[in-house]
Amino acid sequence: MEKKIPKLTVQLLAAVAVTLALVRIVENYFSIRLSDTLQVQFTFIPNAILGAIAGPVWAAIFAAISDPVFVLFSGQTMLFSFILIEAVSAFLYGWFFYKRPLDSKKKADWLYVAGVVVLIQLVISFIMTPVALHFHFRTPWIALYSSRLIKAIFEIPLRIVVTMLVLPSLQKIPELARLMGLK
C-alpha cells in the first residue's frame, strides 16, 4: 500500500485543487438529470484524473472533504452516505489508475479500463447509491435498479472510451506523468 500513497507536495495539492474545481464545474454544468433519483454525470472524468494523480488514499480524503463543501454551495441536502460514496469512488479510481501507464493503442489497456469501469459501476451505481437512495428517500428498489440498468448500457461504453481518450493523453504530459507516479 505504501507505494500507492504519493508524497503530499505543493505541486500535488495544486493539481488536486484544479481537479476538484473541474469536478465542481462538470457536476454543475455538464450533468443531465433524468429523474429525481437518476442523472447522467461526467464527473467520472475529473474523478479518474484525481485518482490517477493523488493515489487512492489522498483521492478518497480529498473527495470526502470536497463533497460536503460542494453540497453546501449547491444548497442541496448533505447526506453522509453520499460523502462515503464519493470517497469510495475516488479510492477505486486511485487504486486502479495511480502508477498505471495506459496506452490507447494497446488492447490489454482497453480491457483493463473496461474491467475498472464495470467494477466501479457495480460498486457505486448498483450497490452503494441505490442503498443510499432507498434508505434516505424510500425509493422503491425496482425503480432504482430498472433505470440504472438501462443507463449502464449506455454509460459503461462511454466511460471506457472517454477514460481511454483522456488518461493516456494526460500521461504524455511530463509533469502530470510524474504526479501519476509514472517515470
Side-chain angles (χ1 to χ4, degrees):
M1 183 71 169
E2 174 183 323
K3 64 182 189 174
K4 291 273 187 184
I5 304 174
K7 184 179 176 188
L8 197 56
T9 63
V10 173
Q11 187 180 19
L12 178 60
L13 282 173
V16 166
V18 169
T19 306
L20 291 175
L22 280 173
V23 170
R24 175 89 168 127
I25 291 166
V26 170
E27 188 173 314
N28 284 345
Y29 300 108
F30 298 100
S31 294
I32 304 164
R33 183 167 292 282
L34 302 174
S35 71
D36 288 339
T37 60
L38 187 66
Q39 61 184 353
V40 176
Q41 288 187 316
F42 296 94
T43 53
F44 72 92
I45 301 164
N47 284 337
I49 296 168
L50 175 64
I53 63 171
V57 174
W58 289 123
I61 290 169
F62 288 122
I65 292 169
S66 66
D67 188 62
V69 173
F70 293 164
V71 169
L72 290 173
F73 280 117
S74 70
Q76 297 175 351
T77 305
M78 184 171 61
L79 302 170
F80 176 76
S81 57
F82 290 107
I83 297 169
L84 180 64
I85 290 168
E86 289 298 321
V88 169
S89 175
F91 181 88
L92 290 172
Y93 280 116
W95 185 262
F96 290 108
F97 292 137
Y98 181 69
K99 288 192 170 188
R100 171 69 183 186
L102 295 171
D103 186 347
S104 58
K105 294 181 178 102
K106 291 184 179 177
K107 183 178 179 180
D109 287 347
W110 281 89
L111 292 173
Y112 179 82
V113 169
V116 170
V117 166
V118 169
L119 176 71
I120 291 173
Q121 283 288 91
L122 284 173
V123 171
I124 302 302
S125 294
F126 286 99
I127 297 172
M128 294 183 77
T129 303
V131 168
L133 290 171
H134 176 75
F135 287 109
H136 285 298
F137 303 113
R138 301 288 178 222
T139 307
W141 293 107
I142 190 72
L144 290 168
Y145 281 106
S146 60
S147 58
R148 288 182 181 287
L149 184 60
I150 294 167
K151 178 183 154 195
I153 292 169
F154 299 103
E155 195 169 303
I156 288 173
L158 173 72
R159 286 183 178 217
I160 294 167
V161 170
V162 171
T163 301
M164 282 303 289
L165 290 174
V166 171
L167 284 183
S169 298
L170 291 177
Q171 290 177 349
K172 292 177 184 174
I173 301 170
E175 293 81 13
L176 285 177
R178 192 170 41 259
L179 284 174
M180 292 177 182
L182 305 173
K183 302 219 182 256

